[in-house]
Amino acid sequence: MKDNMQLIKFFLTSFYAKPKQPVIQILLIIAFIYVAIQYFALTLIIYFIATPEEYLLYNVLLSNGVTYLLISYFAISVVFSQSDFAIFAHLPISAKRVVMSKIISGVALPIMVVSILTIPTFFILLIEFKLAVAVKSIAFLLVMNVLIVLFLLLILSILNHFRSEFTNTSVYLLVRMILILSIGISPIVYFLIKNYQAISIVLAKLDASTISSLSASISDFLDIGYRFAMQQSLVETLLSLNTGISFILLFALCYLLLKVTIKMIASKYYEHGLLVSRIEKTTKVWGRDIKSDWFNYLQREYWIIQSEPYFKMQAILGSVLTPICTIIFLMLVQTNILRTEWIVNYESFIFPYMVLLMSCMNNISGTPYSREEKYYASSITLPFDTQKIYMAKVVISSCISTISVVISYIIYMLFGRGDIITGLLLLITILLVITYNLLSPLYDRRHPLLEWTNPSEAIKSNPTVLISLLYGLPLLIVIGLLHFSLRTFNVSPLMTAVIILIVVTLCTITLIYKIFDKKNSECPSA
């Protein structure tokens, strides 16, 4: 048992290392306090609006949702990561012990966070119900959270069992992300489909003129969800499990899921570890017949992103997140669920800037030098052209963002909104993305964060992510204000798009000239 605790401590300190920068530490504390306040405020609102029975149900659902999000973000990168393989492969430690320690380490932080967020709920239950009911409810809540965690890990362990069937790691990561999203949103989609008419009636009667009328509308919506949940045999069965024997059965089920998950992951631990090591050590070369230095520099950036699965996942997210937000935005506009006329009236103005901000606010363009780590020394010691290295980073990040922009506009046009102005806005968005990516790596080039043990530290614990926004965001704001001003003075949409396109083109050309002017060039180590 002592040896297992040492392994668990190893994974906890490896994957959940405290950021070294005081600014990031303070930001994380503030973010957690903010989330805790928001969570408590939401549960308090439900408590005052809903009945006690409805409050119990929605508290369970809310806690389960937070647990699912946390376990999807934190535990997946721990449990299914192969970064520890090089350390443990030659040690006399069984794969089952390693996997068990990784699972416990992976679920420790999410469960602990949810448990802390549940403390105010316990006191609310204590006020509304007896002590025995409050204790049983909190215990049931925590057991259900553990059950959801282990269920998700089991499903993903089944997918992980067939990881060798995927010829490309990025495809495997994309399939895993789609599976997580599908499992997470399927209950919501099922609820919306089954209660579409009832929800439409409530939304049609929605009155936000006063707090009391808004509370009544929210109460009607909560009542729909409660009655629908009570009609589901699975929910009814789970909520009836409040006896000692029921808790024992739930703990037994959790133990069974844990053992099966450990066995499935451990059975492929060495095979997948060797597979990942072989892929990482294999040099991937494309464009070998093209005689150009530029392709060599682009190849170098490709290797850096390929060096860590976390970097590849960031690139995939940068490509798919904006199209997903586009679909959500268009569905809101199409159905007018929010009953906000200004979104419908200014849709053609809001959409391009929503796509622009979503495509720019990623960690790919802001931390290109920090991701290098072992590659960074070669950029200084070898006869590399620092300007070409910088340009290659801009090209790679711009390609990722451009893919998301083009897909988003294709989706937009499939909804019947394509015209010549849309084409001009597409060009404007792409140029602004390129301009933003020209500016955002400037700080990271001067102050790269290279001392990291986990690839996520190069991005999540890196203050450059925040500082890089200050380099590119002002330009986007100025262009947005200019666009808005032209429309305010009744300049035609076509003429406005043409003017903005000319201004953005001039800005892009000027920036390229200024940044890559040999007289003003800077060494990365400056």
Side-chain angles (χ1 to χ4, degrees):
M1 184 64 185
K2 183 178 179 181
D3 294 336
N4 291 336
M5 290 302 298
Q6 290 295 326
L7 278 177
I8 294 171
K9 182 179 178 181
F10 169 81
F11 287 113
L12 284 173
T13 54
S14 298
F15 290 98
Y16 300 128
K18 185 174 66 173
K20 298 178 181 179
Q21 297 80 9
V23 176
I24 301 298
Q25 294 177 18
I26 295 172
L27 287 175
L28 285 176
I29 294 172
I30 294 174
F32 181 77
I33 294 174
Y34 174 77
V35 171
I37 293 173
Q38 293 278 35
Y39 184 88
F40 176 64
L42 183 58
T43 56
L44 203 61
I45 291 172
I46 296 174
Y47 171 71
F48 284 113
I49 293 177
T51 63
E53 292 76 14
E54 291 174 352
Y55 173 75
L56 278 175
L57 173 67
Y58 283 106
N59 196 265
V60 171
L61 295 179
L62 187 61
S63 179
N64 293 162
V66 173
T67 302
Y68 190 87
L69 291 174
L70 290 175
I71 204 68
S72 299
Y73 183 76
F74 287 103
I76 302 308
S77 60
V78 177
V79 176
F80 297 99
S81 172
Q82 296 294 148
S83 58
D84 56 278
F85 179 76
I87 300 174
F88 293 102
H90 63 284
L91 297 178
I93 302 176
S94 65
K96 288 186 177 180
R97 283 181 56 196
V98 174
V99 172
M100 181 186 68
S101 301
K102 291 172 70 175
I103 291 177
I104 295 175
S105 305
V107 304
L109 183 60
I111 295 299
M112 183 177 67
V113 170
V114 174
S115 300
I116 294 173
L117 294 177
T118 309
I119 293 175
T121 303
F122 173 76
F123 290 102
I124 294 176
L125 293 175
L126 197 60
I127 295 171
E128 187 66 34
F129 303 99
K130 296 180 180 179
L131 177 61
V133 177
V135 172
K136 283 184 179 180
S137 300
I138 295 299
F140 174 78
L141 195 63
L142 296 178
V143 172
M144 286 302 301
N145 288 334
V146 174
L147 190 63
I148 286 176
V149 168
L150 294 177
F151 173 76
L152 177 61
L153 292 180
L154 176 63
I155 297 297
L156 295 177
S157 67
I158 296 174
L159 176 65
N160 181 74
H161 193 76
F162 300 98
R163 180 173 183 172
S164 57
E165 302 297 327
F166 294 88
T167 55
N168 193 307
T169 306
S170 300
V171 175
Y172 166 74
L173 295 174
L174 180 61
V175 171
R176 190 172 70 182
M177 183 182 66
I178 293 174
L179 181 62
I180 293 171
L181 290 174
S182 301
I183 295 174
I185 66 174
S186 56
I188 301 174
V189 174
Y190 179 70
F191 166 72
L192 294 176
I193 292 174
K194 291 293 184 179
N195 297 272
Y196 179 76
Q197 292 183 349
I199 294 173
S200 300
I201 294 173
V202 172
L203 291 175
K205 297 179 179 179
L206 181 64
D207 183 9
S209 58
T210 62
I211 296 178
S212 58
S213 60
L214 179 61
S215 300
S217 300
I218 296 175
S219 179
D220 293 338
F221 184 80
L222 295 177
D223 182 62
I224 293 173
Y226 179 76
R227 285 188 285 107
F228 176 75
M230 290 299 100
Q231 294 172 0
Q232 310 304 311
S233 57
L234 177 61
V235 175
E236 188 177 359
T237 302
L238 289 174
L239 293 179
S240 63
L241 299 176
N242 55 7
T243 63
I245 297 176
S246 301
F247 278 108
I248 293 174
L249 292 175
L250 287 175
F251 277 115
L253 179 59
C254 291
Y255 179 76
L256 179 63
L257 291 175
L258 177 62
K259 296 295 289 185
V260 174
T261 303
I262 291 173
K263 186 173 182 180
M264 290 198 67
I265 300 176
S267 64
K268 295 287 184 175
Y269 180 74
Y270 290 103
E271 179 182 338
H272 292 162
L274 292 172
L275 175 65
V276 172
S277 300
R278 185 166 63 251
I279 291 175
E280 291 178 350
K281 292 178 181 178
T282 301
T283 302
K284 301 178 179 66
V285 180
W286 38 266
R288 61 184 69 186
D289 296 327
I290 301 176
K291 305 299 182 181
S292 173
D293 287 343
W294 278 111
F295 280 94
N296 293 331
Y297 284 99
L298 292 174
Q299 177 73 75
R300 180 178 181 274
E301 297 306 314
Y302 176 73
W303 283 339
I304 293 172
I305 293 179
Q306 287 283 329
S307 63
E308 295 289 347
Y310 186 83
F311 297 157
K312 289 186 281 187
M313 177 56 70
Q314 289 291 324
I316 294 172
L317 286 175
S319 301
V320 303
L321 189 59
T322 305
I324 291 174
C325 293
T326 297
I327 294 173
I328 295 173
F329 173 79
L330 291 172
M331 289 178 65
L332 292 175
V333 173
Q334 195 86 6
T335 58
N336 197 17
I337 293 177
L338 299 179
R339 299 291 173 183
T340 49
E341 294 298 330
W342 67 273
I343 292 182
V344 178
N345 296 335
Y346 296 98
E347 172 200 334
S348 60
F349 179 80
I350 297 173
F351 171 74
Y353 287 98
M354 184 272 293
V355 171
L356 176 64
L357 290 175
M358 292 300 300
S359 301
C360 291
M361 303 305 176
N362 61 71
N363 300 327
I364 295 297
S365 62
T367 56
Y369 287 93
S370 296
R371 293 195 304 269
E372 288 201 9
E373 194 195 19
K374 58 187 177 183
Y375 293 95
Y376 185 76
S378 63
S379 67
I380 300 176
T381 57
L382 296 180
F384 285 140
D385 188 330
T386 57
Q387 296 292 53
K388 288 184 178 180
I389 290 178
Y390 190 93
M391 190 61 183
K393 295 180 184 299
V394 172
V395 169
I396 292 296
S397 59
S398 298
C399 286
I400 295 171
S401 299
T402 301
I403 290 172
S404 67
V405 170
V406 172
I407 294 175
S408 299
Y409 271 86
I410 290 175
I411 295 172
Y412 186 73
M413 288 185 285
L414 289 176
F415 275 75
R417 290 168 168 78
D419 53 21
I420 187 172
I421 299 176
T422 305
L424 293 176
L425 291 174
L426 172 60
L427 293 176
I428 292 170
T429 306
I430 292 175
L431 284 174
L432 282 174
V433 165
I434 295 173
T435 306
Y436 180 88
N437 290 336
L438 282 167
L439 293 170
S440 56
L442 287 175
Y443 183 83
D444 195 52
R445 179 170 69 170
R446 299 187 186 96
H447 308 283
L449 178 63
L450 303 173
E451 296 181 1
W452 46 265
T453 55
N454 189 287
S456 62
E457 296 177 20
I459 297 176
K460 290 192 301 183
S461 303
N462 195 345
T464 302
V465 175
L466 299 176
I467 298 174
S468 64
L469 297 178
L470 302 178
Y471 280 75
L473 195 58
L475 177 64
L476 305 185
I477 294 174
V478 170
I479 296 297
L481 290 175
L482 176 62
H483 194 164
F484 180 76
S485 300
L486 291 173
R487 296 295 295 122
T488 302
F489 288 104
N490 295 323
V491 180
S492 66
L494 180 60
M495 183 58 65
T496 299
V498 172
I499 294 173
I500 295 296
L501 180 60
I502 293 173
V503 172
V504 171
T505 303
L506 292 175
C507 288
T508 306
I509 294 173
T510 303
L511 276 174
I512 292 175
Y513 176 78
K514 290 292 184 182
I515 292 177
F516 298 105
D517 184 7
K518 291 295 184 182
K519 295 180 180 180
N520 300 324
S521 63
E522 297 182 43
C523 180
S525 59

